[in-house]
């Protein structure tokens, strides 16, 4: 009996050992990122190592402020808020492969069901630099739409338009960049047009009789051109995709950017025409009732004008104006054809860089006013949308960890 128990114990140990998960790095001896950056050499000059020419960066991004909120000119409250906290890792593995990862800690971390990724992750991609003429990017990335606010780091935008606030710009997919010349690029991209199921995208679900799409993808063509010794940058794009069976969406966006010396100015024009209200801005106008449904045949148009002027090495000021409309282009159910909202957004900001050698740290004072005019169509739905104001004083700091 003892011999049988001993044999059984040995067999059990062998089976347990065999079930230990294989460690990829240890077994396959793949070099770590540190080893990729550093090559061992018999040289006392580098203390046994030689630094390879591989760029790798880790940044922590913080932006927080004290805010005073007002509604229709009446004071609501004052509170502190961390506007943005993000971790960014990007770099190059070799002459052909680079990577980009960024996670925001201001978003929910629940996993999306379509791309199988946390909703807080904005970038998770790898880029193959095939040649000076072509790049291929695979993974979660920003949509290659036109407009300055679409591609620039959100820390430089401060306060987005309503359009961009309701536009999910980070999606999983593939992107190819064709360089026709150093100053002329064409981008072709195919991504998901949503990252969760329809029940989570539309607050009242799909309208009755509308069936989910079997190909929830978005295709984008983007042109980038630089002129006047790269002082003028133009970005134009067109996108098309399917939201549900027989329900398509179209985006036409352009950015016109001027950057030279202390001046940065841009004018973005954004237009979206959608068979389903993917932005939910018109759908959300409905008052509390049992007959709430997702709006169809919606269109949104936005103009964004911004001027930054760094009048001193330690001081920057900017003014920004946004004009937006939202409407229905074809009557459907309770949603009559016509305009529903006209919105405008005025901003003014003063920024101070106390350390000339460190532009990543700044102190700012920011004022934003958002006004809304509701049409009779919107009022018939029971819509209420007051004017709001906010005064913020805060700091922003980008910490270059590596």
């Amino acid at each position: 009996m003892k011999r049988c128990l001993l044999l059984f114990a040995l067999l059990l140990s062998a089976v347990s050992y065999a079930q230990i998960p294989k460690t990829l790095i240890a077994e396959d001896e793949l070099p770590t990122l540190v080893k990729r950056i550093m090559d061992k050499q018999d040289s006392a000059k580098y203390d046994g190592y030689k630094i390879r020419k591989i760029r790798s960066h880790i940044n922590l991004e913080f932006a927080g402020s004290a805010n005073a909120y007002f509604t229709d000119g009446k004071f609501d409250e004052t509170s502190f808020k961390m506007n943005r906290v993000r971790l960014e890792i990007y770099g190059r593995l070799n002459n052909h492969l680079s990577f980009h990862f960024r996670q925001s800690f201001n978003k929910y971390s629940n996993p999306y069901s379509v791309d199988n990724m946390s909703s807080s992750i904005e970038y998770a991609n790898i880029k193959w630099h095939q040649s000076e003429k072509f790049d291929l990017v695979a993974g979660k990335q920003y949509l290659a739409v036109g407009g300055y606010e679409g591609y620039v780091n959100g820390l430089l935008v401060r306060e987005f338009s309503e359009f961009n606030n309701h536009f999910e710009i980070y999606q999983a997919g593939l992107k190819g960049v064709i360089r026709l010349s150093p100053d002329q690029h064409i981008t072709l991209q195919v991504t998901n047009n949503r990252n969760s199921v329809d029940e989570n995208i539309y607050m009242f679900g799909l309208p009755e009789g509308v069936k989910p799409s079997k190909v929830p993808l978005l295709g984008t063509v983007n042109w980038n051109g630089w002129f006047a010794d790269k002082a003028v940058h133009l970005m134009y794009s067109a996108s098309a995709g399917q939201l549900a069976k027989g329900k398509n969406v179209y985006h036409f966006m352009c950015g016109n950017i001027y950057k030279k010396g202390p001046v940065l100015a841009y004018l973005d024009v954004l237009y979206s025409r959608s068979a389903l209200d993917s932005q939910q801005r018109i759908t959300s106008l409905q008052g509390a009732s049992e007959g709430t449904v997702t709006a169809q045949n919606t269109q949104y148009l936005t103009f964004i004008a911004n001027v930054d002027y760094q009048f001193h090495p330690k001081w920057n000021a900017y003014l920004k104006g946004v004009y937006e409309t939202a409407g229905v282009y074809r009557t459907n159910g309770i949603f009559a054809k016509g305009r529903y909202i006209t919105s405008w957004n005025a901003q003014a900001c003063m920024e101070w860089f106390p350390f000339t050698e460190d532009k990543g740290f700044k102190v700012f004072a920011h004022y934003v006013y958002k006004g809304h005019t509701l049409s009779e169509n919107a009022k018939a739905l029971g819509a209420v949308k007051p004017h709001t104001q906010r005064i913020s004083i805060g700091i922003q700091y980008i910490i270059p960890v590596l």
Side-chain angles (χ1 to χ4, degrees):
M1 177 63 71
K2 291 183 178 179
R3 181 176 297 178
C4 290
L5 290 174
L6 179 60
L7 290 173
F8 178 75
L10 291 173
L11 180 61
L12 182 63
S13 298
V15 172
S16 299
Y17 177 78
Q19 291 179 343
I20 295 176
K22 179 181 178 181
T23 55
L24 180 64
I25 299 300
E27 295 291 337
D28 293 348
E29 296 183 351
L30 293 178
T32 64
L33 185 58
V34 173
K35 288 181 180 179
R36 286 173 179 267
I37 296 174
M38 307 178 75
D39 273 340
K40 192 164 185 177
Q41 301 286 333
D42 295 324
S43 171
K45 180 179 179 181
Y46 296 104
D47 195 21
Y49 289 87
K50 180 180 179 180
I51 305 297
R52 294 176 64 191
K53 293 181 179 180
I54 292 181
R55 296 180 61 190
S56 184
H57 301 277
I58 301 177
N59 295 328
L60 287 173
E61 302 175 358
F62 298 94
S65 59
N67 310 287
Y69 299 92
F70 303 83
T71 301
D72 286 334
K74 296 181 180 179
F75 174 70
D76 290 328
E77 67 172 13
T78 298
S79 61
F80 291 96
K81 183 178 182 179
M82 292 303 297
N83 304 309
R84 288 185 178 89
V85 180
R86 298 191 302 198
L87 168 66
E88 186 169 39
I89 307 172
Y90 62 96
R92 188 181 68 224
L93 298 176
N94 53 47
N95 290 334
H96 296 284
L97 294 177
S98 58
F99 62 93
H100 194 176
F101 174 87
R102 190 170 75 197
Q103 183 171 13
S104 171
F105 298 98
N106 302 105
K107 298 180 179 179
Y108 293 112
S109 59
N110 57 298
Y112 283 134
S113 56
V114 173
D115 58 20
N116 195 34
M117 192 174 296
S118 169
S119 55
S120 65
I121 295 176
E122 297 175 342
Y123 292 109
N125 63 65
I126 190 162
K127 179 169 74 174
W128 175 37
H129 179 63
Q130 190 271 336
S131 68
E132 294 303 317
K133 295 292 186 179
F134 182 73
D135 288 343
L136 182 66
V137 180
K140 194 165 186 180
Q141 55 197 275
Y142 74 89
L143 296 180
V145 293
Y148 178 84
E149 289 194 1
Y151 84 97
V152 75
N153 190 313
L155 289 175
L156 301 178
V157 179
R158 298 94 165 186
E159 182 74 21
F160 284 94
S161 62
E162 290 291 315
F163 189 106
N164 284 318
N165 271 333
H166 292 83
F167 186 72
E168 187 56 63
I169 201 166
Y170 303 108
Q171 300 287 354
L174 288 172
K175 177 175 67 176
V177 180
I178 304 168
R179 297 182 182 86
L180 305 177
S181 71
D183 294 331
Q184 303 287 326
H185 298 174
I186 297 292
T187 298
L188 305 175
Q189 185 184 54
V190 178
T191 66
N192 294 334
N193 64 29
R194 55 181 172 83
N195 40 35
S196 189
V197 295
D198 292 320
E199 290 75 12
N200 295 332
I201 298 296
Y202 305 103
M203 62 179 67
F204 303 122
L206 292 176
E208 186 177 356
V210 176
K211 297 181 179 180
S213 171
K214 294 184 178 181
V215 189
L217 300 179
L218 184 75
T220 298
V221 178
N222 176 290
W223 168 74
N224 275 256
W226 289 264
F227 304 91
D229 197 23
K230 293 189 180 295
V232 177
H233 181 191
L234 304 181
M235 307 173 62
Y236 289 73
S237 72
S239 306
Q242 188 178 75
L243 300 174
K245 188 175 181 180
K247 302 292 184 179
N248 299 327
V249 60
Y250 304 94
H251 306 302
F252 303 96
M253 306 186 193
C254 69
N256 308 275
I257 307 155
Y258 175 83
K259 185 176 183 180
K260 188 173 183 179
V263 177
L264 166 66
Y266 63 88
L267 172 65
D268 286 354
V269 182
L270 317 174
Y271 176 73
S272 179
R273 185 180 179 93
S274 178
L276 291 175
D277 188 15
S278 56
Q279 292 199 18
Q280 297 288 276
R281 289 159 59 192
I282 291 179
T283 298
S284 63
L285 294 175
Q286 298 171 88
S289 68
E290 295 181 357
T292 48
V293 294
T294 295
Q296 301 183 61
N297 307 327
T298 58
Q299 57 184 0
Y300 297 98
L301 176 63
T302 295
F303 296 90
I304 306 170
N306 182 99
V307 177
D308 274 70
Y309 179 52
Q310 188 165 354
F311 56 90
H312 185 274
K314 290 190 175 184
W315 291 93
N316 181 70
Y318 87 85
L319 295 173
K320 181 176 180 178
V322 182
Y323 176 81
E324 306 186 73
T325 64
V328 171
Y329 61 85
R330 186 183 301 126
T331 299
N332 59 100
I334 62 174
F335 299 96
K337 179 181 178 180
R339 184 176 296 188
Y340 281 68
I341 318 171
T342 301
S343 302
W344 54 95
N345 176 333
Q347 301 178 42
C349 187
M350 185 70 71
E351 299 172 328
W352 174 47
F353 303 90
F355 312 111
T356 306
E357 70 281 4
D358 188 355
K359 292 295 185 181
F361 181 84
K362 67 181 178 183
V363 180
F364 63 87
H366 184 214
Y367 171 78
V368 56
Y369 174 88
K370 293 184 178 181
H372 311 279
T373 297
L374 299 175
S375 70
E376 293 301 320
N377 287 332
K379 293 176 182 178
L381 298 175
V384 176
K385 203 167 183 67
H387 306 318
T388 60
Q389 303 88 35
R390 189 186 74 239
I391 300 173
S392 302
I393 299 176
I395 60 172
Q396 177 180 301
Y397 193 33
I398 300 175
I399 303 174
V401 178
L402 177 65

